[in-house]
Amino acid sequence: FSFSHQTPKGSCLEAVKTAIDAGYRHIDGAFVYFNEHEVGQAIREKIAEGKIKREDIFYCGKLWNTCHPPELVRPTLEKTLKILQLDYVDLYIIELPMAFKPGDALYPKDENGKFIYHETDLCATWEALEACKDAGLAKSIGVSNFNRRQLEMIMNKPGLKYKPVSNQVECHPYFTQPKLLEFCRQHDIVIVGYSPLGTSRDESWVNVSSPPLLKDPVLNAIGKKYNKTAAQIALRFNVQRGVVVIPKSFNPQRIRENFQIFDFSLTEKEMKEIEALNKNVRYVELLMWRDHPEYPFNDEY
């Protein structure tokens, strides 16, 4: 279950409580979403109700681009834990392989409105994450939006202590990530698929030239057969191929609906039909940062 930027106050709290009641246990958050206090509160309220125990919840937190220097990693995670009022996160990941200038501005820009980047040493950042795991602040550590070259850089690092357990990337029937998925399978890295239902149509950061995924005729036709929605078919498709999905919704009915994907299976033929929908086009291209030396999406995968 995932959140996104700038949500109305209180809506996140209610959404997380609804999700936990519906059966969700994996909660994907991030400091830059500015709602971790509500997420933490929702988890604590559900624990107090006796609905769940802390160990039932799998919380993923993220290290933002302005916090890559190794000496900032642990204090940043400690700040997240303080906001959540939790003792540890289950997974802590580097949100993007691109470092920005450290400081209070999350999106630092110069007087001409250009982003201010920072020299990136992903291996040094990774070592700081390993130290957080050793300190018990994060049970597992991983990455997000890393391409194959960037994953290999970490995995071939001299003195590697822990390899990334997961790589969180865009993944859905229009962008199925076959090569990255295969590479990660070979190395026991779990792919966590964000935007598994496509994305919002916010032109400021989404490529809207690709049609909305949930209007797809194939997904809708298969949905009719199982009495499921296109969204449920899209989620089932990824789950069935071993991709972890983190659908995002603030609508209680859809939150519950997105969970109802474990009472049916797609046939091999249907899986192939959905795989064939791949357009190899991202919704989330992050083009505003494409001049960053570690911009991950120039490589084939």
Side-chain angles (χ1 to χ4, degrees), residues 140-189:
S140 293
I141 51 177
V143 297
S144 179
N145 295 302
F146 275 45
N147 62 32
R148 176 188 171 152
R149 177 184 61 80
Q150 292 161 334
L151 284 170
E152 284 182 329
M153 192 159 67
I154 303 273
M155 299 203 301
N156 299 330
K157 186 186 87 62
L160 181 73
K161 205 165 180 187
Y162 308 113
K163 63 177 201 187
V165 297
S166 59
N167 185 17
Q168 188 181 123
V169 294
E170 179 175 348
C171 190
H172 48 74
Y174 284 175
F175 194 66
T176 54
Q177 296 271 25
K179 290 185 168 163
L180 188 62
L181 186 56
E182 187 46 44
F183 175 79
C184 287
R185 273 196 188 127
Q186 286 165 4
H187 293 92
D188 285 326
I189 298 170

Side-chain angles (χ1 to χ4, degrees), residues 23-66:
Y24 291 84
R25 294 297 177 259
H26 176 171
I27 297 174
D28 180 77
F31 175 71
V32 288
Y33 300 166
F34 297 119
N35 51 20
E36 284 193 311
H37 55 287
E38 289 187 38
V39 180
Q41 189 186 335
I43 293 170
R44 291 194 312 277
E45 284 183 22
K46 285 294 163 191
I47 291 171
E49 278 174 32
K51 173 88 186 160
I52 48 164
K53 299 196 210 36
R54 167 64 185 96
E55 56 269 26
D56 297 333
I57 290 290
F58 186 92
Y59 184 81
C60 170
K62 305 190 185 87
L63 181 77
W64 181 240
N65 306 6
T66 51

Side-chain angles (χ1 to χ4, degrees), residues 97-114:
M98 303 176 280
F100 293 175
K101 187 189 103 167
D104 292 332
L106 289 175
Y107 301 93
K109 289 180 175 174
D110 64 16
E111 59 281 6
N112 303 316
K114 255 181 78 60

Side-chain angles (χ1 to χ4, degrees), residues 269-280:
K269 179 172 172 284
E270 288 162 342
M271 288 293 287
K272 289 226 171 6
E273 275 171 38
I274 299 171
E275 259 165 43
L277 298 174
N278 185 27
K279 301 176 186 301
N280 225 11

Side-chain angles (χ1 to χ4, degrees), residues 12-301:
C12 176
L13 175 68
E14 289 313 312
V16 179
K17 286 161 67 173
T18 302
I20 290 171
D21 286 340
Y24 291 84
R25 294 297 177 259
H26 176 171
I27 297 174
D28 180 77
F31 175 71
V32 288
Y33 300 166
F34 297 119
N35 51 20
E36 284 193 311
H37 55 287
E38 289 187 38
V39 180
Q41 189 186 335
I43 293 170
R44 291 194 312 277
E45 284 183 22
K46 285 294 163 191
I47 291 171
E49 278 174 32
K51 173 88 186 160
I52 48 164
K53 299 196 210 36
R54 167 64 185 96
E55 56 269 26
D56 297 333
I57 290 290
F58 186 92
Y59 184 81
C60 170
K62 305 190 185 87
L63 181 77
W64 181 240
N65 306 6
T66 51
C67 310
H68 279 211
E71 67 280 5
L72 295 182
V73 172
R74 181 167 175 163
T76 302
L77 174 52
E78 284 171 340
K79 193 157 123 196
T80 280
L81 291 172
K82 202 172 156 189
I83 294 169
L84 288 163
Q85 292 180 40
L86 296 174
D87 299 328
Y88 64 89
V89 294
D90 298 273
L91 177 61
Y92 198 54
I93 63 181
I94 302 174
E95 185 158 358
L96 287 152
M98 303 176 280
F100 293 175
K101 187 189 103 167
D104 292 332
L106 289 175
Y107 301 93
K109 289 180 175 174
D110 64 16
E111 59 281 6
N112 303 316
K114 255 181 78 60
F115 287 101
I116 308 172
Y117 299 145
H118 195 68
E119 187 68 30
T120 305
D121 180 353
L122 290 169
C123 289
T125 305
W126 184 254
E127 284 171 13
L129 257 74
E130 291 180 323
C132 289
K133 175 169 156 66
D134 281 336
L137 301 178
K139 298 277 188 207
S140 293
I141 51 177
V143 297
S144 179
N145 295 302
F146 275 45
N147 62 32
R148 176 188 171 152
R149 177 184 61 80
Q150 292 161 334
L151 284 170
E152 284 182 329
M153 192 159 67
I154 303 273
M155 299 203 301
N156 299 330
K157 186 186 87 62
L160 181 73
K161 205 165 180 187
Y162 308 113
K163 63 177 201 187
V165 297
S166 59
N167 185 17
Q168 188 181 123
V169 294
E170 179 175 348
C171 190
H172 48 74
Y174 284 175
F175 194 66
T176 54
Q177 296 271 25
K179 290 185 168 163
L180 188 62
L181 186 56
E182 187 46 44
F183 175 79
C184 287
R185 273 196 188 127
Q186 286 165 4
H187 293 92
D188 285 326
I189 298 170
V190 174
I191 290 258
V192 177
Y194 69 73
S195 303
L197 305 174
T199 56
S200 74
R201 309 297 284 173
D202 178 345
E203 289 186 19
S204 66
W205 61 280
V206 171
N207 166 9
V208 289
S209 68
S210 221
L213 177 71
L214 299 182
K215 297 227 162 48
D216 186 86
V218 174
L219 296 178
N220 281 282
I222 294 173
K224 271 206 176 64
K225 173 182 157 185
Y226 293 102
N227 203 13
K228 295 285 180 186
T229 63
Q232 289 167 318
I233 299 301
L235 294 174
R236 178 70 210 180
F237 162 73
N238 257 336
V239 165
Q240 215 165 299
R241 62 206 278 264
V243 172
V244 173
V245 288
I246 43 173
K248 180 183 82 207
S249 176
F250 287 90
N251 171 317
Q253 187 199 334
R254 285 202 289 270
I255 288 172
R256 289 189 281 269
E257 206 173 77
N258 289 342
F259 197 78
Q260 307 301 314
I261 59 168
F262 302 105
D263 53 359
F264 77 108
S265 291
L266 297 166
T267 65
E268 205 158 318
K269 179 172 172 284
E270 288 162 342
M271 288 293 287
K272 289 226 171 6
E273 275 171 38
I274 299 171
E275 259 165 43
L277 298 174
N278 185 27
K279 301 176 186 301
N280 225 11
V281 173
R282 295 172 189 276
Y283 285 114
V284 183
E285 300 173 297
L286 308 178
L287 292 177
M288 61 284 203
W289 301 323
R290 69 176 161 224
D291 56 341
H292 194 293
E294 286 294 341
Y295 176 75
F297 304 149
N298 287 329
D299 297 28
E300 190 201 351
Y301 70 99

